[in-house]
Amino acid sequence: MTATTTAPRKVTRPRADALRNRERIVSAAREMFTEFGPDVPLDDIARRAGVGNATLYRNFPDRDALVREVVCSVMDRTTEAAEIALTETGDAFEALERFVHTAADERISALCPMIQSTFDQNHPDLEAARVRCEELVVELMNRAKAAGQLRTDVDSGDLLIVVAQLSRPPAGTACFQVDRFVHRHLQLFLDGLRAPARSILPGTALTMEDLRQV
């Protein structure tokens, strides 16, 4: 009796135009969420992306799915920028600077209010992007401290909360008018992180766990 051989299943890959449409939707959503807030009509996002409503809903069946993709993509690009900087220079503090300035360009902090009470903050995709981002920040800061580049009385929570405060123009305002000041003020902050420290900070260093509780 001859054994039956099962043919390998062919993996269906998304077409290039389908991938481009998805990227255009995410890019348009990121822009409009930042400009107008998380409640901007999805039809308006489709219009800015230059796709039909059906294409948007085929990729993202509801608002939460689109918000999640935008937040994950922003965190992924920000993390990747720091990883590339570290690979290119081997300098942890320079990689940390790249992370901070890219986070501002990506408006990572302006997207935070989009995570509302109905949003699944424990979704595996979001959790993976968040963990990867947080672990990289901790690694860069620890390496910079070990190299004597970063003051020792700060922690990852200190970094992220200040970045959020300095680069977070409120959605729905003329936020783009203040863009020219953001990188200037962030660099002032980064210079203040360099060792040796010129002052004694009040309180204790803010960890990532402290930041979650806040």
Side-chain angles (χ1 to χ4, degrees), residues 71-162:
V71 174
C72 287
S73 67
V74 166
M75 286 196 290
D76 285 345
R77 283 196 301 273
T78 303
T79 304
E80 183 180 5
E83 290 174 333
I84 291 173
L86 185 58
T87 300
E88 290 176 347
T89 69
D91 188 305
F93 198 93
E94 186 171 331
L96 196 64
E97 288 184 317
R98 185 85 64 91
F99 171 87
V100 168
H101 287 294
T102 303
D105 285 337
E106 292 288 345
R107 301 185 183 280
I108 195 169
S109 55
L111 299 178
C112 293
M114 297 191 317
I115 305 178
Q116 303 172 347
S117 58
T118 59
F119 188 83
D120 181 7
Q121 299 185 30
N122 298 315
H123 189 281
D125 291 347
L126 183 64
E127 183 71 7
R130 181 187 62 77
V131 169
R132 179 182 174 221
C133 183
E134 291 181 357
E135 287 180 345
L136 179 68
V137 172
V138 171
E139 178 188 355
L140 293 177
M141 293 185 74
N142 287 341
R143 292 177 65 164
K145 287 179 182 178
Q149 299 173 301
L150 178 67
R151 57 190 299 164
T152 59
D153 56 351
V154 294
D155 211 318
S156 51
D158 293 309
L159 178 81
L160 293 181
I161 200 168
V162 175

Coordinates of all heavy atoms in Angstrom, one line a residue, residues 71-162:
V71 N -0.3 52.8 17.8 CA 0.6 52.9 19.0 C 1.8 51.9 18.9 O 2.9 52.2 19.2 CB -0.2 52.6 20.3 CG1 0.7 52.5 21.5 CG2 -1.3 53.6 20.5
C72 N 1.5 50.7 18.4 CA 2.6 49.7 18.3 C 3.6 50.1 17.3 O 4.8 50.0 17.5 CB 2.0 48.3 17.9 SG 1.1 47.4 19.2
S73 N 3.1 50.6 16.2 CA 4.1 51.0 15.1 C 4.9 52.2 15.5 O 6.1 52.2 15.2 CB 3.3 51.4 13.8 OG 2.5 52.6 14.0
V74 N 4.4 53.1 16.3 CA 5.2 54.2 16.8 C 6.2 53.8 17.8 O 7.4 54.1 17.7 CB 4.2 55.3 17.5 CG1 5.0 56.3 18.3 CG2 3.4 56.0 16.4
M75 N 5.8 52.9 18.7 CA 6.8 52.4 19.7 C 7.9 51.5 19.0 O 9.1 51.6 19.3 CB 6.1 51.5 20.7 CG 5.3 52.3 21.8 SD 4.9 51.4 23.2 CE 3.6 50.3 22.6
D76 N 7.5 50.8 18.0 CA 8.5 49.9 17.2 C 9.5 50.8 16.5 O 10.7 50.5 16.5 CB 7.8 49.0 16.2 CG 7.1 47.9 16.9 OD1 7.3 47.6 18.1 OD2 6.2 47.2 16.2
R77 N 9.1 51.9 15.9 CA 10.0 52.7 15.1 C 10.9 53.5 16.1 O 12.1 53.7 15.8 CB 9.2 53.7 14.3 CG 8.7 53.1 13.0 CD 8.3 54.2 12.0 NE 7.3 55.1 12.5 CZ 5.9 54.9 12.4 NH1 5.5 53.8 11.9 NH2 5.1 55.7 12.9
T78 N 10.4 53.9 17.2 CA 11.2 54.6 18.2 C 12.2 53.7 18.8 O 13.4 54.1 18.9 CB 10.3 55.1 19.3 OG1 9.3 56.0 18.8 CG2 11.1 55.9 20.4
T79 N 11.9 52.5 19.1 CA 12.8 51.5 19.6 C 13.9 51.1 18.6 O 15.1 51.1 18.9 CB 12.1 50.2 20.1 OG1 11.1 50.5 21.0 CG2 13.0 49.2 20.7
E80 N 13.4 51.0 17.4 CA 14.4 50.6 16.3 C 15.4 51.7 16.1 O 16.6 51.4 15.8 CB 13.6 50.4 15.0 CG 14.5 49.9 13.8 CD 13.7 49.7 12.5 OE1 12.5 50.0 12.5 OE2 14.4 49.2 11.6
A81 N 15.0 53.0 16.2 CA 16.0 54.1 16.1 C 17.1 54.0 17.1 O 18.2 54.3 16.8 CB 15.2 55.4 16.2
A82 N 16.7 53.7 18.3 CA 17.7 53.6 19.4 C 18.6 52.4 19.1 O 19.8 52.4 19.4 CB 17.0 53.4 20.7
E83 N 18.1 51.3 18.7 CA 18.9 50.1 18.4 C 19.9 50.3 17.3 O 21.0 49.9 17.4 CB 17.9 48.9 18.1 CG 17.1 48.4 19.3 CD 16.1 47.3 18.8 OE1 15.7 47.3 17.7 OE2 15.8 46.5 19.7
I84 N 19.4 51.0 16.3 CA 20.3 51.4 15.2 C 21.4 52.3 15.6 O 22.6 52.1 15.3 CB 19.5 52.0 14.0 CG1 18.6 51.0 13.4 CG2 20.5 52.6 13.0 CD1 17.7 51.6 12.3
A85 N 21.1 53.3 16.5 CA 22.1 54.2 17.0 C 23.2 53.4 17.8 O 24.4 53.7 17.7 CB 21.4 55.3 17.8
L86 N 22.7 52.5 18.6 CA 23.6 51.7 19.4 C 24.5 50.8 18.6 O 25.7 50.7 18.8 CB 22.9 50.9 20.4 CG 23.7 50.1 21.5 CD1 24.5 51.0 22.3 CD2 22.8 49.3 22.4
T87 N 24.0 50.3 17.5 CA 24.8 49.4 16.6 C 25.8 50.2 15.8 O 26.9 49.8 15.7 CB 23.8 48.7 15.6 OG1 22.9 47.9 16.3 CG2 24.6 47.8 14.7
E88 N 25.4 51.4 15.4 CA 26.3 52.3 14.6 C 27.4 52.9 15.4 O 28.5 53.0 14.9 CB 25.4 53.4 13.9 CG 24.5 52.9 12.8 CD 23.6 54.0 12.3 OE1 23.6 55.1 12.9 OE2 23.0 53.8 11.2
T89 N 27.1 53.3 16.7 CA 28.1 54.0 17.4 C 28.7 53.2 18.6 O 29.7 53.5 19.1 CB 27.5 55.3 18.0 OG1 26.5 55.0 19.0 CG2 26.8 56.1 16.9
G90 N 27.9 52.3 19.1 CA 28.3 51.6 20.4 C 28.2 52.5 21.6 O 28.7 52.1 22.7
D91 N 27.6 53.6 21.4 CA 27.5 54.6 22.5 C 26.1 54.6 23.1 O 25.2 55.0 22.4 CB 27.9 56.0 21.9 CG 28.0 57.1 23.0 OD1 27.0 57.2 23.8 OD2 29.0 57.8 23.1
A92 N 26.0 54.2 24.3 CA 24.7 54.0 25.0 C 24.0 55.4 25.1 O 22.8 55.5 24.9 CB 24.8 53.3 26.3
F93 N 24.8 56.4 25.5 CA 24.1 57.7 25.7 C 23.6 58.3 24.4 O 22.6 58.9 24.3 CB 25.1 58.7 26.4 CG 24.3 59.9 27.0 CD1 23.9 59.8 28.3 CD2 24.0 61.0 26.2 CE1 23.2 60.9 28.9 CE2 23.3 62.1 26.8 CZ 22.9 62.0 28.1
E94 N 24.4 58.1 23.3 CA 24.0 58.6 22.0 C 22.7 57.9 21.5 O 21.8 58.5 20.9 CB 25.1 58.4 21.0 CG 24.8 59.1 19.6 CD 26.0 59.1 18.7 OE1 27.1 59.2 19.2 OE2 25.7 59.0 17.5
A95 N 22.7 56.6 21.8 CA 21.5 55.8 21.5 C 20.3 56.3 22.3 O 19.2 56.4 21.8 CB 21.7 54.3 21.7
L96 N 20.5 56.7 23.5 CA 19.5 57.2 24.4 C 19.0 58.5 23.8 O 17.7 58.8 23.8 CB 20.0 57.4 25.8 CG 18.9 57.6 26.9 CD1 18.1 56.3 27.0 CD2 19.6 57.9 28.2
E97 N 19.9 59.3 23.4 CA 19.5 60.6 22.7 C 18.6 60.4 21.5 O 17.6 61.1 21.2 CB 20.7 61.4 22.4 CG 21.4 62.0 23.6 CD 22.6 62.9 23.2 OE1 23.4 62.5 22.2 OE2 22.8 64.0 23.8
R98 N 19.1 59.4 20.7 CA 18.3 59.1 19.4 C 16.9 58.6 19.8 O 15.9 59.0 19.1 CB 19.1 58.0 18.7 CG 18.4 57.6 17.3 CD 18.9 58.6 16.2 NE 20.4 58.4 16.0 CZ 20.9 57.6 15.1 NH1 20.2 56.8 14.4 NH2 22.2 57.6 14.9
F99 N 16.8 57.8 20.8 CA 15.5 57.3 21.3 C 14.6 58.5 21.7 O 13.4 58.6 21.2 CB 15.6 56.4 22.5 CG 14.3 56.0 23.1 CD1 13.6 55.0 22.7 CD2 13.8 56.8 24.2 CE1 12.4 54.6 23.3 CE2 12.6 56.4 24.8 CZ 11.9 55.4 24.3
V100 N 15.1 59.4 22.5 CA 14.3 60.6 22.9 C 13.9 61.5 21.8 O 12.7 61.8 21.7 CB 15.1 61.4 24.0 CG1 14.5 62.7 24.3 CG2 15.3 60.6 25.3
H101 N 14.8 61.8 20.9 CA 14.4 62.7 19.8 C 13.4 62.0 18.8 O 12.5 62.7 18.2 CB 15.6 63.2 19.1 CG 16.4 64.2 19.9 ND1 15.9 65.5 20.2 CD2 17.6 64.2 20.5 CE1 16.8 66.2 20.9 NE2 17.8 65.4 21.1
T102 N 13.6 60.7 18.6 CA 12.7 60.0 17.7 C 11.3 59.9 18.3 O 10.3 60.0 17.6 CB 13.3 58.6 17.4 OG1 14.6 58.7 16.8 CG2 12.3 57.9 16.4
A103 N 11.3 59.7 19.6 CA 10.0 59.6 20.3 C 9.2 60.9 20.1 O 8.0 60.9 20.0 CB 10.2 59.3 21.8
A104 N 10.0 62.1 20.2 CA 9.3 63.3 19.9 C 8.8 63.5 18.5 O 7.7 63.9 18.2 CB 10.3 64.5 20.3
D105 N 9.6 63.1 17.5 CA 9.2 63.1 16.1 C 8.0 62.2 15.8 O 7.1 62.6 15.0 CB 10.4 62.7 15.2 CG 11.5 63.8 15.1 OD1 11.1 65.0 15.3 OD2 12.6 63.4 14.8
E106 N 8.0 61.1 16.5 CA 6.9 60.2 16.3 C 5.6 60.6 17.1 O 4.6 60.0 17.0 CB 7.3 58.8 16.7 CG 8.3 58.1 15.8 CD 7.7 57.7 14.5 OE1 6.5 57.7 14.3 OE2 8.5 57.5 13.6
R107 N 5.8 61.6 18.0 CA 4.7 62.1 18.8 C 4.2 60.9 19.7 O 3.0 60.8 19.9 CB 3.6 62.7 18.0 CG 4.0 63.8 17.1 CD 2.8 64.5 16.4 NE 3.3 65.5 15.5 CZ 3.6 66.8 16.0 NH1 3.5 67.1 17.2 NH2 4.1 67.7 15.1
I108 N 5.1 60.2 20.2 CA 4.7 59.0 21.0 C 3.9 59.4 22.2 O 3.0 58.7 22.7 CB 6.0 58.2 21.4 CG1 5.6 56.8 21.9 CG2 6.8 59.0 22.5 CD1 6.8 55.9 22.1
S109 N 4.2 60.6 22.8 CA 3.5 61.0 24.0 C 2.1 61.5 23.7 O 1.1 61.4 24.5 CB 4.2 62.0 24.8 OG 4.6 63.1 24.0
A110 N 1.9 62.1 22.5 CA 0.6 62.6 22.1 C -0.4 61.5 21.8 O -1.6 61.7 21.8 CB 0.7 63.5 20.9
L111 N 0.2 60.3 21.6 CA -0.7 59.1 21.3 C -1.2 58.5 22.6 O -2.1 57.7 22.5 CB 0.1 58.1 20.4 CG 0.5 58.6 19.1 CD1 1.3 57.5 18.4 CD2 -0.6 59.1 18.2
C112 N -0.5 58.7 23.7 CA -0.9 58.1 25.0 C -2.3 58.2 25.3 O -3.0 57.3 25.8 CB 0.0 58.6 26.1 SG 1.8 58.1 25.9
P113 N -2.9 59.4 25.2 CA -4.3 59.6 25.6 C -5.3 58.7 24.8 O -6.5 58.5 25.1 CB -4.6 61.1 25.3 CG -3.3 61.7 25.4 CD -2.3 60.7 24.8
M114 N -4.8 58.2 23.6 CA -5.7 57.3 22.8 C -6.0 56.0 23.5 O -7.0 55.4 23.2 CB -5.1 57.0 21.5 CG -4.8 58.3 20.6 SD -4.4 57.9 18.9 CE -3.2 56.6 19.2
I115 N -5.2 55.6 24.5 CA -5.5 54.4 25.2 C -6.5 54.6 26.2 O -6.2 55.0 27.3 CB -4.2 53.8 25.8 CG1 -3.1 53.6 24.7 CG2 -4.4 52.5 26.4 CD1 -1.8 53.1 25.2
Q116 N -7.8 54.5 25.9 CA -8.9 54.8 26.8 C -9.2 53.6 27.6 O -8.6 52.5 27.5 CB -10.1 55.2 25.9 CG -9.7 56.4 25.1 CD -10.9 56.8 24.1 OE1 -11.8 56.0 23.9 NE2 -10.8 57.9 23.5
S117 N -10.2 53.7 28.4 CA -10.6 52.7 29.4 C -11.1 51.4 28.6 O -11.0 50.3 29.2 CB -11.7 53.2 30.3 OG -12.9 53.6 29.6
T118 N -11.7 51.6 27.4 CA -12.2 50.4 26.7 C -11.1 49.8 25.9 O -11.3 48.7 25.3 CB -13.3 50.9 25.7 OG1 -12.8 51.9 24.8 CG2 -14.5 51.5 26.5
F119 N -9.9 50.3 25.9 CA -8.8 49.8 25.1 C -8.2 48.6 25.8 O -7.9 48.7 27.0 CB -7.8 50.9 24.8 CG -6.7 50.5 23.8 CD1 -7.0 50.7 22.5 CD2 -5.5 50.1 24.3 CE1 -6.0 50.3 21.6 CE2 -4.5 49.8 23.4 CZ -4.8 49.9 22.0
D120 N -7.9 47.6 25.1 CA -7.3 46.4 25.7 C -5.8 46.6 25.8 O -5.0 46.4 24.9 CB -7.5 45.1 24.8 CG -6.9 43.9 25.4 OD1 -6.4 43.9 26.5 OD2 -7.0 42.8 24.7
Q121 N -5.4 47.1 27.0 CA -4.0 47.4 27.2 C -3.1 46.2 27.4 O -1.9 46.3 27.3 CB -3.8 48.3 28.5 CG -4.6 49.6 28.4 CD -4.3 50.5 29.6 OE1 -3.3 50.4 30.2 NE2 -5.3 51.3 29.9
N122 N -3.7 45.0 27.5 CA -3.0 43.8 27.7 C -3.0 42.9 26.4 O -2.6 41.8 26.4 CB -3.6 42.9 28.8 CG -3.5 43.6 30.1 OD1 -2.5 44.2 30.5 ND2 -4.6 43.6 30.9
H123 N -3.3 43.6 25.3 CA -3.3 42.8 24.0 C -1.9 42.4 23.7 O -0.9 43.2 24.0 CB -3.8 43.7 22.9 CG -4.0 43.0 21.6 ND1 -2.9 42.7 20.7 CD2 -5.1 42.5 21.0 CE1 -3.4 42.1 19.7 NE2 -4.7 42.0 19.8
P124 N -1.6 41.2 23.3 CA -0.3 40.7 23.1 C 0.6 41.6 22.2 O 1.8 41.7 22.5 CB -0.5 39.3 22.4 CG -1.9 38.9 22.9 CD -2.7 40.1 23.0
D125 N 0.1 42.1 21.1 CA 0.9 43.0 20.3 C 1.3 44.2 21.0 O 2.5 44.6 20.9 CB 0.1 43.4 19.0 CG -0.2 42.2 18.1 OD1 0.4 41.2 18.3 OD2 -1.1 42.4 17.2
L126 N 0.4 44.9 21.7 CA 0.7 46.1 22.5 C 1.7 45.8 23.6 O 2.7 46.5 23.8 CB -0.5 46.7 23.0 CG -0.3 48.0 23.8 CD1 0.2 49.1 22.8 CD2 -1.6 48.5 24.4
E127 N 1.5 44.7 24.3 CA 2.4 44.3 25.4 C 3.8 44.0 24.9 O 4.8 44.4 25.5 CB 1.8 43.0 26.1 CG 2.6 42.6 27.3 CD 2.4 43.5 28.5 OE1 1.6 44.4 28.4 OE2 3.2 43.2 29.5
A128 N 3.9 43.3 23.7 CA 5.2 43.0 23.2 C 6.0 44.3 22.8 O 7.2 44.4 23.1 CB 5.1 42.1 22.0
A129 N 5.3 45.2 22.2 CA 5.9 46.5 21.8 C 6.3 47.3 23.0 O 7.4 47.9 23.0 CB 5.0 47.3 20.9
R130 N 5.5 47.3 24.0 CA 5.8 48.1 25.2 C 7.0 47.5 25.9 O 7.9 48.2 26.4 CB 4.5 48.1 26.1 CG 4.8 48.9 27.4 CD 3.6 48.7 28.4 NE 3.4 47.3 28.8 CZ 4.2 46.7 29.7 NH1 5.2 47.4 30.3 NH2 3.9 45.5 30.1
V131 N 7.0 46.1 26.1 CA 8.1 45.5 26.8 C 9.4 45.7 26.1 O 10.4 46.0 26.7 CB 7.8 44.0 27.0 CG1 9.0 43.2 27.5 CG2 6.6 43.8 27.9
R132 N 9.4 45.6 24.8 CA 10.6 45.8 24.0 C 11.1 47.2 24.2 O 12.3 47.4 24.4 CB 10.3 45.5 22.5 CG 11.5 45.7 21.6 CD 11.1 45.5 20.2 NE 12.2 45.8 19.2 CZ 12.0 46.4 18.1 NH1 10.8 46.8 17.7 NH2 13.1 46.7 17.3
C133 N 10.2 48.1 24.1 CA 10.6 49.5 24.3 C 11.2 49.8 25.7 O 12.3 50.4 25.8 CB 9.4 50.4 24.0 SG 9.7 52.2 24.1
E134 N 10.5 49.3 26.7 CA 10.9 49.6 28.1 C 12.3 48.9 28.4 O 13.1 49.4 29.0 CB 9.9 49.1 29.1 CG 8.6 49.9 29.0 CD 7.5 49.4 30.0 OE1 7.8 48.4 30.7 OE2 6.5 50.1 30.1
E135 N 12.4 47.6 27.9 CA 13.7 46.9 28.2 C 14.8 47.6 27.5 O 15.9 47.6 28.1 CB 13.5 45.5 27.6 CG 12.6 44.6 28.5 CD 12.5 43.2 28.0 OE1 12.9 42.9 26.8 OE2 12.0 42.3 28.7
L136 N 14.6 48.2 26.3 CA 15.7 48.9 25.6 C 16.1 50.1 26.4 O 17.3 50.4 26.6 CB 15.3 49.2 24.2 CG 16.4 50.0 23.4 CD1 17.6 49.1 23.2 CD2 15.9 50.5 22.1
V137 N 15.1 50.9 26.9 CA 15.5 52.1 27.7 C 16.3 51.7 28.9 O 17.3 52.4 29.2 CB 14.2 52.8 28.0 CG1 14.5 54.0 29.0 CG2 13.5 53.4 26.8
V138 N 15.8 50.7 29.6 CA 16.5 50.3 30.8 C 18.0 49.8 30.5 O 18.9 50.2 31.2 CB 15.8 49.1 31.5 CG1 16.6 48.5 32.6 CG2 14.5 49.6 32.1
E139 N 18.1 49.1 29.4 CA 19.4 48.6 29.0 C 20.3 49.8 28.6 O 21.5 49.8 29.1 CB 19.3 47.7 27.8 CG 20.7 47.2 27.3 CD 20.6 46.4 25.9 OE1 19.5 46.2 25.5 OE2 21.6 46.1 25.4
L140 N 19.8 50.7 27.9 CA 20.7 51.9 27.5 C 21.1 52.7 28.7 O 22.2 53.1 28.8 CB 19.9 52.7 26.5 CG 19.6 52.1 25.1 CD1 18.8 53.1 24.3 CD2 20.9 51.8 24.4
M141 N 20.2 52.9 29.6 CA 20.5 53.7 30.8 C 21.5 53.0 31.6 O 22.4 53.6 32.2 CB 19.2 54.0 31.6 CG 18.3 54.9 30.8 SD 16.8 55.5 31.8 CE 17.6 56.7 32.9
N142 N 21.4 51.7 31.8 CA 22.3 50.9 32.6 C 23.7 50.9 32.0 O 24.7 51.1 32.7 CB 21.8 49.5 32.8 CG 20.7 49.4 33.8 OD1 20.4 50.3 34.6 ND2 19.9 48.3 33.7
R143 N 23.8 50.8 30.7 CA 25.1 50.8 30.0 C 25.7 52.2 30.1 O 26.9 52.3 30.2 CB 24.9 50.4 28.5 CG 24.5 48.9 28.4 CD 24.3 48.5 26.9 NE 25.5 48.6 26.1 CZ 25.6 48.0 24.9 NH1 24.6 47.3 24.4 NH2 26.7 48.1 24.2
A144 N 24.9 53.2 29.9 CA 25.4 54.6 30.0 C 25.9 54.9 31.4 O 26.9 55.6 31.6 CB 24.3 55.6 29.6
K145 N 25.2 54.4 32.4 CA 25.7 54.5 33.8 C 27.0 53.8 34.0 O 28.0 54.3 34.6 CB 24.7 54.0 34.8 CG 23.4 54.9 34.9 CD 22.4 54.3 35.9 CE 21.2 55.1 36.0 NZ 20.2 54.5 36.9
A146 N 27.1 52.6 33.5 CA 28.3 51.8 33.7 C 29.5 52.5 33.0 O 30.7 52.3 33.4 CB 28.1 50.4 33.1
A147 N 29.2 53.2 31.9 CA 30.3 53.9 31.2 C 30.6 55.3 31.8 O 31.5 56.0 31.3 CB 29.9 54.1 29.7
G148 N 29.9 55.6 32.8 CA 30.2 56.9 33.5 C 29.6 58.1 32.7 O 29.9 59.3 32.9
Q149 N 28.6 57.8 31.7 CA 28.0 58.9 30.9 C 26.8 59.5 31.5 O 26.4 60.6 31.2 CB 27.7 58.3 29.5 CG 28.9 57.8 28.7 CD 28.4 57.2 27.5 OE1 27.7 56.2 27.5 NE2 28.9 57.7 26.3
L150 N 26.1 58.7 32.3 CA 24.7 59.0 32.8 C 24.8 59.1 34.3 O 25.3 58.2 35.0 CB 23.7 58.0 32.4 CG 22.3 58.2 32.8 CD1 21.7 59.4 32.2 CD2 21.4 56.9 32.5
R151 N 24.2 60.2 34.9 CA 24.1 60.3 36.3 C 23.4 59.1 36.9 O 22.5 58.6 36.3 CB 23.5 61.6 36.7 CG 22.1 61.9 36.2 CD 21.6 63.3 36.4 NE 21.6 63.6 37.8 CZ 21.5 64.9 38.3 NH1 21.5 65.9 37.4 NH2 21.4 65.1 39.6
T152 N 23.8 58.7 38.1 CA 23.3 57.5 38.7 C 22.0 57.6 39.5 O 21.4 56.6 39.9 CB 24.4 56.9 39.6 OG1 24.7 57.9 40.6 CG2 25.6 56.6 38.8
D153 N 21.6 58.9 39.7 CA 20.4 59.1 40.5 C 19.1 59.3 39.7 O 18.1 59.8 40.2 CB 20.6 60.3 41.4 CG 20.9 61.6 40.6 OD1 21.2 61.5 39.4 OD2 20.9 62.7 41.3
V154 N 19.1 58.7 38.5 CA 17.9 58.7 37.6 C 17.6 57.3 37.2 O 18.5 56.4 37.2 CB 18.0 59.6 36.4 CG1 18.2 61.1 36.8 CG2 19.2 59.2 35.6
D155 N 16.3 57.1 36.8 CA 15.9 55.7 36.3 C 15.0 55.9 35.1 O 14.7 57.0 34.7 CB 15.3 54.9 37.4 CG 15.5 53.4 37.3 OD1 15.5 52.9 36.1 OD2 15.7 52.8 38.3
S156 N 14.6 54.8 34.5 CA 13.8 54.8 33.3 C 12.5 55.6 33.4 O 12.1 56.2 32.5 CB 13.6 53.4 32.9 OG 13.0 52.6 33.9
G157 N 11.9 55.5 34.6 CA 10.6 56.2 34.7 C 10.9 57.7 34.7 O 10.0 58.5 34.1
D158 N 12.0 58.2 35.2 CA 12.3 59.6 35.1 C 12.4 60.1 33.7 O 11.9 61.1 33.3 CB 13.7 59.9 35.8 CG 13.6 59.7 37.3 OD1 12.7 60.3 38.0 OD2 14.5 59.0 37.9
L159 N 13.1 59.3 32.9 CA 13.3 59.6 31.5 C 12.0 59.7 30.7 O 11.7 60.7 30.1 CB 14.2 58.6 30.8 CG 14.4 58.8 29.3 CD1 15.5 59.8 29.1 CD2 14.8 57.5 28.6
L160 N 11.2 58.7 30.9 CA 9.9 58.6 30.1 C 8.9 59.7 30.5 O 8.2 60.2 29.6 CB 9.3 57.2 30.2 CG 10.2 56.1 29.5 CD1 9.5 54.8 29.7 CD2 10.4 56.4 28.1
I161 N 8.8 60.0 31.8 CA 7.8 60.9 32.2 C 8.2 62.3 31.7 O 7.3 63.1 31.3 CB 7.6 60.9 33.7 CG1 6.2 61.5 34.0 CG2 8.7 61.5 34.5 CD1 5.8 61.2 35.5
V162 N 9.5 62.7 31.7 CA 9.9 64.0 31.3 C 9.8 64.1 29.7 O 9.4 65.1 29.2 CB 11.4 64.3 31.7 CG1 11.9 65.6 31.1 CG2 11.5 64.3 33.2

